[in-house]
């Protein structure tokens, strides 16, 4: 509301918006079970109470892989707080670019315009680094230590 060219924006009371994909990210290690996780933010003035149900829809291309479902908020999200919503796993072992789009819906949401991620997330998997032959790293003669390969 406002007068004489002064306008004030009032934040809505209840607004849960799609902020980002928490996973995968550009630095993810892509596997046959790469988790897809939505991050949603409480952009409203009031808390989103525990037990509220949020529906999600995610599409991963190529392949038009669809992940849909619902998620019950485990604990109250205060204004400005976030929640990560696990959507399922996707096989991302093929070396290529993946485009992820998605949206959430919440029955009490007063601002549905921020419930879809825009622009889409594009992540690219890459070929694994293969080391051939033998090499010395200076750690070969340590005692009492175990060297473990980390992927």
């Amino acid at each position: 509301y406002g007068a004489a060219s002064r306008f004030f924006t009032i934040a809505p009371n209840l607004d849960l918006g799609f902020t980002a994909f928490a996973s995968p990210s550009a630095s993810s290690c892509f596997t046959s079970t790469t988790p897809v996780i939505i991050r949603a933010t409480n952009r409203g003035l009031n808390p989103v109470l525990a037990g509220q149900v949020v529906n999600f829809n995610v599409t991963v291309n190529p392949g038009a892989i669809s992940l849909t479902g619902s998620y019950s908020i485990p604990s109250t999200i205060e204004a400005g707080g976030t929640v990560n919503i696990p959507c399922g796993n996707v096989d991302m072992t093929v070396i290529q670019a993946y485009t992820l789009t998605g949206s959430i819906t919440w029955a009490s949401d007063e601002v549905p315009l921020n419930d879809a991620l825009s622009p889409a997330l594009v992540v690219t998997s890459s070929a694994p680094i293969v080391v051939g032959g033998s090499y010395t790293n200076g750690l070969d003669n340590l005692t009492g230590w175990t060297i473990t390969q980390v992927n």
Side-chain angles (χ1 to χ4, degrees):
Y1 61 90
S5 74
R6 289 186 176 185
F7 291 91
F8 300 95
T9 302
I10 298 173
N13 289 320
L14 300 170
D15 181 17
L16 189 64
F18 192 137
T19 309
F21 280 102
S23 174
S25 68
S27 60
S28 292
C29 292
F30 300 114
T31 68
S32 61
T33 57
T34 300
V36 176
I37 302 170
I38 291 172
R39 177 164 297 131
T41 301
N42 179 1
R43 296 179 174 158
L45 296 174
N46 293 340
V48 176
L49 300 177
Q52 295 288 306
V53 175
V54 177
N55 297 307
F56 61 84
N57 182 15
V58 174
T59 302
V60 181
N61 281 303
I65 300 163
S66 181
L67 303 171
T68 59
S70 60
Y71 180 74
S72 180
I73 302 296
S75 60
T76 297
I77 309 166
E78 297 299 330
T82 62
V83 63
N84 286 342
I85 302 171
C87 302
N89 298 321
V90 175
D91 183 350
M92 297 178 81
T93 55
V94 175
I95 300 169
Q96 62 187 352
Y98 294 90
T99 302
L100 289 83
T101 57
S103 63
I104 59 173
T105 56
W106 174 45
S108 299
D109 199 341
E110 296 174 355
V111 185
L113 294 176
N114 61 14
D115 293 348
L117 183 66
S118 180
L121 172 67
V122 178
V123 293
T124 303
S125 63
S126 57
I129 299 172
V130 178
V131 178
S134 62
Y135 64 98
T136 302
N137 59 15
L139 302 175
D140 297 282
N141 295 319
L142 292 177
T143 58
W145 290 82
T146 303
I147 298 175
T148 304
Q149 178 181 347
V150 179
N151 293 330

